[in-house]
Amino acid sequence: MIELADPQLTAQDIVLTADDPARGGESPPGTAGEPKSLAGRIRLGGPHAVRLTPKELSADPDLARYAEEQATLYDHYLVRLSVTFVPRLRAPRLKFANVSVQLVSGWGPNPVAHSMDPIRLTDPVQVERVRRLGPQLSLLGADAALGEMSRSVGYTANQPLVQALDLGGSSPSWDFRPTTATELTGTYPLSLVVRSGAGSEAELRCTVTAGVEAPLLRRFSRELPDPLHLKAFL
């Protein structure tokens, strides 16, 4: 195992536009009811890539040997980025967010997400359930009281806050959902190792999506205009 220094990621505010501007019968464009862009809520750092060569991995002989054995077939790149959810007073609550990556190549095997971090982050949440039985073992609703027998059942559930999707595929992403205990605020570092065909040039496109309730659930998205190019310079 080796530790690589974290790069200084260039952060930028992402202005997301509505995916469904006509949803819910809003007013025509240019009127007061037109959906707004989602601005000032999400900041993206990177993406930044470094090729994982045997020289780059020389501090770990096993990793360096593995990279050398794979070199005739594949190139590997460590891609790092970060997403920051900026809290805003009196702003609609973020109901979900997604950072997705599209990997494409002009020739050779499709580039894929060889590994991702984080894979899954969860919050432990205490859940309390009441089971009620009435006469003749009938299940009673929450408002039933006459002749009932009840028992409380408590357990701890792990609610996913962040989940990695499509590991091993060409469309990896991280899905963010607020939990009972945690809102979507703060900075989350994201990393993936991309495996592409040896000597090929891969392209990495990044799209950020988020949803808010204002009051209907609305979805906003933005694709970064400049794709990241992954190319081995020999």
Side-chain angles (χ1 to χ4, degrees):
M1 177 184 296
I2 62 173
E3 292 186 7
L4 299 178
D6 289 333
Q8 187 68 37
L9 299 177
T10 301
Q12 57 180 313
D13 290 322
I14 305 297
V15 179
L16 286 72
T17 56
D19 287 357
D20 51 354
R23 179 178 175 182
E26 285 80 10
S27 303
T31 68
E34 184 182 5
K36 305 292 185 182
S37 297
L38 191 64
R41 301 296 304 275
I42 298 178
R43 186 175 300 131
L44 192 72
H48 175 275
V50 59
R51 187 181 173 211
L52 298 176
T53 64
K55 181 179 179 180
E56 188 76 32
L57 302 172
S58 59
D60 187 316
D62 290 336
L63 280 178
R65 188 180 309 111
Y66 175 80
E68 190 170 0
E69 291 170 351
Q70 295 285 303
T72 57
L73 296 175
Y74 303 112
D75 291 325
H76 293 84
Y77 299 86
L78 174 61
V79 179
R80 283 178 280 198
L81 59 160
S82 67
V83 60
T84 299
F85 302 109
V86 182
R88 298 279 182 175
L89 293 176
R90 296 182 296 277
R93 179 176 180 254
L94 288 174
K95 297 292 291 183
F96 67 85
N98 183 276
V99 177
S100 64
V101 171
Q102 187 68 36
L103 300 168
V104 295
S105 178
W107 61 273
N110 287 331
V112 298
H114 182 69
S115 62
M116 301 173 67
D117 182 67
I119 288 293
R120 183 179 173 92
L121 297 178
T122 61
D123 268 344
V125 177
Q126 189 65 28
V127 179
E128 192 78 17
R129 293 276 177 85
V130 177
R131 294 175 180 169
R132 292 182 170 88
L133 290 175
Q136 300 179 358
L137 299 181
S138 58
L139 293 171
L140 302 179
D143 56 348
L146 184 63
E148 72 174 27
M149 180 181 69
S150 64
R151 189 178 76 150
S152 296
V153 178
Y155 60 94
T156 299
N158 290 310
Q159 290 186 344
L161 175 64
V162 185
Q163 292 190 93
L165 305 174
D166 201 31
L167 175 63
S170 296
S171 302
S173 66
W174 287 271
D175 191 60
F176 297 81
R177 304 277 171 169
T179 69
T180 304
T182 305
E183 296 288 340
L184 290 186
T185 60
T187 299
Y188 294 84
L190 309 172
S191 303
L192 72 155
V193 173
V194 175
R195 188 187 72 193
S196 62
S200 66
E201 182 176 355
E203 187 176 271
L204 182 151
R205 292 187 173 273
C206 186
T207 301
V208 179
T209 306
V212 298
E213 281 185 346
L216 296 175
L217 180 62
R218 305 202 64 82
R219 177 187 172 99
F220 300 79
S221 64
R222 170 73 184 277
E223 180 179 336
L224 270 65
D226 300 319
L228 181 67
H229 293 275
L230 308 176
K231 185 177 181 179
F233 294 95
L234 302 178

